[in-house]
Amino acid sequence: GMLVPADLSPLEDSGWGAELSFEDDAYISDDDAKTIDYNKILLDMKQQISANNIERQHQGYDPLYLLGWAETPHYDQSSHIIYWAKRLSNSPDPTTHDESVNYFIRNLGRNGVFNINIIADGKDLPTVKKSAPDLLKVASFTEGNRYEDHHFWDTTSSYSLAALVAGGAAVTAKKAGLIGLIIIFLKKFFVVILAAVGGLWKAISGKKK
C-alpha cells in the first residue's frame, strides 16, 4: 500500500509519502546487529550507485549520488526494528540541487519483514522521523508470527541484517519528492490499479443501464 499525509496533495512535487509492503523472506537473524560496519556498507552502496549511473542516464534519468547517511542505521533490539536514512541528490554537490531523503524502516517478523520506504525532501526528515511510530501502527504481526515467536525449526533467510541494509535500494525516481514515490508505486502496481479501475467502470456502466 501507500500512505501520504492528509494535508498534502499527491499532485504536488513536495512533501513525503510512504510505500508499505511485506516480504516473505523467512526469519532473518539479527546475530550480527552489534558488529555491522555501516561505513563500509555506505562506501559499497556509493560505488554501486555510481556504477549504475551509466544505465540510468542511458534510460533518460538523471544520475544519482548517495551523499551519505541522513540517519545512521540503528537496530532496536527490543522491537526488532531497524531504521536508516540516505541523503541523495542528482548532483555530487547538494548545494546546487535539491536533496532528497530515503528513509527505511524494517520490522522483522518470524517469517518475513514488514517494509516501510519513505521518500521525502531533505527538509522534511524531522517530520518523517516524528511520523515513523504512527506508520508502524498501520500493521503489526499477529501472535505466533512475531520475531520472538521464532522456533529453531523455522526456515532462516540466507542473508543477514547487514545485507538487509545494503539491499535497501534508493527509491528516488527521476524527480525527487512525492511525485517520485507515486511514479514508483504506479510502476509496481499499475496492472492492479488498471484492473480495479476497470471493475469500477464496469459497475458504473452497469448502473447507468
Side-chain angles (χ1 to χ4, degrees), residues 27-60:
Y27 175 84
I28 298 176
S29 173
D30 63 357
D31 291 343
D32 63 335
K34 296 181 179 179
T35 60
I36 300 173
D37 186 347
Y38 291 118
N39 289 328
K40 183 179 185 305
I41 290 177
L42 180 64
L43 179 61
D44 290 343
M45 288 192 296
K46 283 184 175 182
Q47 293 174 342
Q48 185 61 50
I49 288 178
S50 179
N52 290 342
N53 274 336
I54 297 176
E55 182 59 27
R56 285 180 58 86
Q57 291 174 293
H58 178 72
Q59 294 182 8

Side-chain angles (χ1 to χ4, degrees), residues 12-188:
E12 294 179 359
D13 188 37
S14 61
W16 60 274
E19 178 199 6
L20 287 68
S21 64
F22 174 76
E23 292 186 26
D24 187 8
D25 283 343
Y27 175 84
I28 298 176
S29 173
D30 63 357
D31 291 343
D32 63 335
K34 296 181 179 179
T35 60
I36 300 173
D37 186 347
Y38 291 118
N39 289 328
K40 183 179 185 305
I41 290 177
L42 180 64
L43 179 61
D44 290 343
M45 288 192 296
K46 283 184 175 182
Q47 293 174 342
Q48 185 61 50
I49 288 178
S50 179
N52 290 342
N53 274 336
I54 297 176
E55 182 59 27
R56 285 180 58 86
Q57 291 174 293
H58 178 72
Q59 294 182 8
Y61 291 91
D62 293 330
L64 185 65
Y65 298 92
L66 175 56
L67 305 176
W69 297 120
E71 181 174 332
T72 305
H74 55 99
Y75 180 63
D76 186 336
Q77 190 80 41
S78 61
S79 64
H80 307 290
I81 299 174
I82 186 167
Y83 308 79
W84 73 97
K86 303 175 184 178
R87 297 173 52 231
L88 297 138
S89 176
N90 294 125
S91 168
D93 181 3
T95 62
T96 62
H97 286 71
D98 291 335
E99 182 179 314
S100 62
V101 168
N102 286 176
Y103 193 90
F104 300 90
I105 304 174
R106 298 290 182 266
N107 187 357
L108 306 184
R110 178 182 176 184
N111 300 302
V113 185
F114 175 48
N115 303 318
I116 301 178
N117 299 325
I118 305 169
I119 183 171
D121 293 331
K123 61 180 176 58
D124 292 321
L125 180 59
T127 303
V128 169
K129 292 175 67 173
K130 185 178 179 180
S131 301
D134 290 330
L135 290 174
L136 284 164
K137 294 177 183 177
V138 171
S140 61
F141 293 106
T142 57
E143 187 174 350
N145 292 295
R146 299 167 302 182
Y147 194 80
E148 55 268 31
D149 296 324
H150 168 69
H151 294 290
F152 70 88
W153 59 76
D154 291 335
T155 302
T156 300
S157 176
S158 59
Y159 60 88
S160 64
L161 204 60
L164 190 67
V165 175
V171 297
T172 301
K174 185 174 183 180
K175 215 171 183 184
L178 192 54
I179 289 296
L181 180 68
I182 292 173
I183 290 172
I184 293 163
F185 185 81
L186 289 177
K187 283 182 178 179
K188 189 172 183 181

